[in-house]
Amino acid sequence: MTSQNVQGATDGTAGNGGGICAGRVAVVTGAGRGLGRAHARALAAEGARVVVNDLGVGLDGAGGSAGPAQEVVDEIVAAGGEAVAHGGDIATTDGAASLVTAALDAFGRLDILVNNAGFLRDKMLVNLDEESWDAVMRVHLKGHFLALKHAGAHWRAEAKAGRMPQARVINTSSGAGLLGSVGQGNYTAAKAGILGLTLVAAAELGRYGVQVNAIAPAARTRMTETVFADAMAASGDGGFDAMAPENVSPLVVWLASGASGGVSGRVFEAEAGRITVMEGWRPGPGADKGARWTPAEAGEAALRLLAAAEPPQPVYGAQ
């Protein structure tokens, strides 16, 4: 379901005026709450017109309501911006395709895709049922893929028609996708898959004027409120809230803007006032016998190499 009733300013205020995303159109999935809401508001504050996608489901993906997406639209409009609500399921072909249609129908273009939608079904592996595995994979990994596929197809068509885009995709992974997280096998696998998808998409879509990056945010949202329940930041006289979702959004806005030209296929951690460029799998110590190893020789070589290698970072929640 797509709302074609564009709401907001038409007089050169936040939606059309200044800011590093002025004149650009953004789609943000899962934008009714938490990080997505913060991103949508921050993009609008920097001049973007925004399609606010959200199904309004519960933390486990159950239920649904148009309320959260419309509330964010109302907040953007109240601040002088332009936005439209979108209630399509981005983990379906029709729902993901309608994201592009919503942007084109409402604003005449699409420049930015922020993939953010997701929910949790946490259990230890031996207790994790197949339905919970499939549900989390569907919303996180399939949802990223389908939205990226349809936006990418639009931008490819634009490039082939001689209208080279300056498009940006920001995918959402997590520390679980980078390091693993005990009790979150499904979520970890989905978020790790998003990192691989980001690298492939950046390589494939670059020729069409599309940059694709990923963030691994840490912030207080519905999915992390128990983890960060006691985390208060309080650095500085201003009472800085280190876990506020709004701390992550400035990096997203910059990545979504023309100012980030040349940055693609990268992964950033963002938490509080810290931004870190993550460096993924790359060759460490190696050995080449020049012939086939015996099992004993392979084991001896592996132990020598492990002794020379950097130790891995611990999995979240590991004892």
Side-chain angles (χ1 to χ4, degrees):
M1 179 183 300
T2 303
S3 170
Q4 301 304 325
N5 182 21
V6 181
Q7 297 177 265
T10 57
D11 59 354
T13 55
N16 298 328
I20 64 172
C21 288
R24 294 171 70 73
V25 173
V27 167
V28 184
T29 71
R33 302 181 180 94
L35 284 163
R37 172 179 174 268
H39 300 339
R41 287 166 53 94
L43 285 160
E46 287 292 334
R49 292 168 289 177
V50 185
V51 177
V52 178
N53 164 265
D54 204 281
L55 286 177
V57 299
L59 181 58
D60 63 352
S65 168
Q70 187 59 48
E71 288 170 9
V72 176
V73 169
D74 293 343
E75 290 169 353
I76 290 172
V77 171
E82 290 186 69
V84 61
H86 178 275
D89 183 354
I90 49 87
T92 67
T93 294
D94 289 346
S98 70
L99 281 174
V100 178
T101 302
L104 298 179
D105 287 352
F107 304 119
R109 60 185 296 127
L110 174 62
D111 305 284
I112 301 157
L113 169 63
V114 181
N115 279 317
N116 171 77
F119 55 72
L120 295 177
R121 299 274 183 92
D122 291 353
K123 290 183 181 178
M124 302 297 268
L125 282 174
V126 295
N127 296 321
L128 183 61
D129 57 273
E130 188 174 354
E131 194 277 330
S132 293
W133 173 274
D134 288 344
V136 168
M137 284 292 181
R138 178 183 182 275
V139 67
H140 288 280
L141 189 52
K142 187 178 180 182
H144 271 64
F145 157 64
L146 286 175
L148 182 52
K149 169 186 170 68
H150 289 284
H154 166 70
W155 289 321
R156 181 183 62 181
E158 288 290 288
K160 289 185 174 182
R163 299 182 294 270
M164 184 62 73
Q166 195 179 64
R168 305 288 189 263
V169 178
I170 298 93
N171 291 330
T172 306
S173 183
S174 76
L178 294 164
L179 299 176
S181 180
V182 171
Q184 293 188 308
N186 49 1
Y187 179 75
T188 291
K191 289 302 191 183
I194 287 167
L195 296 175
L197 179 63
T198 297
L199 300 181
V200 172
E204 291 186 357
L205 298 178
R207 72 190 72 179
Y208 306 122
V210 184
Q211 295 180 186
V212 187
N213 294 285
I215 60 168
R220 184 182 55 253
T221 68
R222 290 192 303 165
M223 292 198 297
T224 62
E225 61 185 355
T226 56
V227 177
F228 297 132
D230 298 324
M232 299 288 302
S235 60
D237 296 335
F240 173 52
D241 181 357
M243 292 296 104
E246 289 77 9
N247 298 333
V248 177
S249 299
L251 175 61
V252 172
V253 172
W254 181 80
L255 288 170
S257 74
S260 66
V263 179
S264 195
R266 306 307 296 261
V267 179
F268 299 84
E269 271 196 334
E271 175 184 358
R274 179 175 59 84
I275 296 172
T276 304
V277 177
M278 303 305 291
E279 297 180 336
W281 295 106
R282 60 185 64 224
D288 185 356
K289 180 183 176 182
R292 183 180 301 158
W293 302 89
T294 67
E297 289 172 334
E300 291 171 359
L303 290 174
R304 290 196 303 271
L305 297 175
L306 288 169
E310 291 291 329
Q313 296 292 308
V315 172
Y316 287 112
Q319 298 299 317

